[in-house]
Amino acid sequence: MNFNDLPLTSVDTLGNLLAQIKELTDKADAIKDAIKDTASAGGAKVVEGNLFKATYMESNRSVVDNKALLAELGATAEQIARHTKTTAVFSVKVTSR
């Protein structure tokens, strides 16, 4: 049987779509990286195309290391448990066969 003759299920369609999305995301990320590299090296921060414009922006992000902060403040495991919220998370993982 030829691979192209196999009937596709919804899972096969999902896997195919996710593979296409990954390929497109990889291509988009490569273009973004090239723009970032050029702009961060002193090049153009705005790149204009015929239909779209890309603008390179820099910003700072701050993140609190909660584990280190709680340890420094001497929080006990019981105190941490009282203030920890747990929620159910559902996901679907797709792999090729």
Side-chain angles (χ1 to χ4, degrees), residues 3-97:
F3 177 75
N4 292 327
D5 294 336
L6 291 174
L8 296 181
T9 67
S10 60
V11 172
D12 295 325
T13 301
L14 174 60
N16 190 28
L17 290 170
L18 292 173
Q20 290 176 45
I21 289 168
K22 179 172 182 344
E23 183 179 334
L24 292 171
T25 299
D26 289 347
K27 288 179 182 180
D29 287 346
I31 294 169
K32 287 179 190 179
D33 288 344
I35 292 169
K36 288 179 206 173
D37 291 346
T38 299
S40 64
K45 305 235 187 270
V46 176
V47 180
E48 304 241 5
N50 294 322
L51 302 174
F52 298 94
K53 174 174 74 170
T55 304
Y56 169 80
M57 296 172 282
E58 294 180 22
S59 63
N60 293 320
R61 179 181 301 170
S62 297
V63 178
V64 174
D65 182 344
N66 289 319
K67 287 182 181 182
L69 177 61
L70 290 172
E72 186 177 319
L73 295 174
T76 66
E78 182 181 289
Q79 289 171 316
I80 294 170
R82 281 198 313 263
H83 297 284
T84 299
K85 179 180 177 182
T86 302
T87 56
V89 176
F90 302 93
S91 63
V92 175
K93 181 179 179 181
V94 179
T95 58
S96 61
R97 293 181 48 168

